[in-house]
Amino acid sequence: MKAMNSFLGQRRMLTLLAILTLFAGAGCTNERGGVAMPSDSASSSATSTTPGSAPADVFGSLKACNVLDKALEGQGFPAAVIDRAGGDNGCDTLKSGFGTMSLDLHPNLGIDDLNAAKSKQFPGEVNDRRSIQVRDGIGSRGNCDIALEVTKTSRAIVGVTLTTGTTEEACAFVYSIAKKVEPQLPKGN
């Protein structure tokens, strides 16, 4: 009888583990190569703060993919897809024969926090908004990013990596897209 109770206990434990595994995966979606990522339907996107908590996300419900898709209208790019490699609110889109466009919204990193060699950073403005252009930031030709200041501690980064082409061509194209992204961003302090 003791062996039977031990067997039933193990069976119950295995059943419980199987059920917990199912529930643990229920709040995730598969994105990019089958990596489980938190689902947008999870109610963790509160935008208000309580004393002692982290500041509210300046981007609120603004989604990088929606902003990028609108900025790229008429350019022949497919719909942008979520890519969290550059942050929790990022996406990119690949146009065959042209290259990859990306947009990352960083609520807790300002443009002064860029992680690129100072020799590759060029300050400027996009539609009267402070910006920093980063040329060949990933170490290859045909790459250009523009970081747009939202607040002193938040930024948006618009980037392009061309399949073929020069850095000058990449920077001219990403600037034209940054001019369309900028009006969609919150006005900073």
Side-chain angles (χ1 to χ4, degrees), residues 10-89:
Q10 287 177 344
R11 187 170 176 188
R12 284 185 189 138
M13 185 61 78
L14 289 174
T15 302
L16 179 61
L17 283 173
I19 291 170
L20 288 174
T21 301
L22 286 174
F23 283 117
C28 295
T29 59
N30 286 335
E31 299 169 0
R32 296 267 174 191
V35 177
M37 302 299 276
S39 172
D40 287 339
S41 64
S43 177
S44 63
S45 61
T47 57
S48 63
T49 61
T50 56
S53 68
D57 183 340
V58 68
F59 296 107
S61 63
L62 191 64
K63 300 291 181 205
C65 289
N66 296 341
V67 173
L68 186 59
D69 285 341
K70 186 174 179 181
L72 290 172
E73 280 179 358
Q75 300 284 334
F77 280 86
V81 295
I82 295 171
D83 181 359
R84 293 200 168 109
D88 288 341
N89 193 356

Side-chain angles (χ1 to χ4, degrees), residues 152-176:
K152 292 290 182 195
T153 58
S154 62
R155 68 183 183 214
I157 299 180
V158 186
V160 66
T161 301
L162 300 177
T163 304
T164 60
T166 66
T167 299
E168 291 73 25
E169 291 169 325
C171 288
F173 184 76
V174 79
Y175 180 76
S176 72

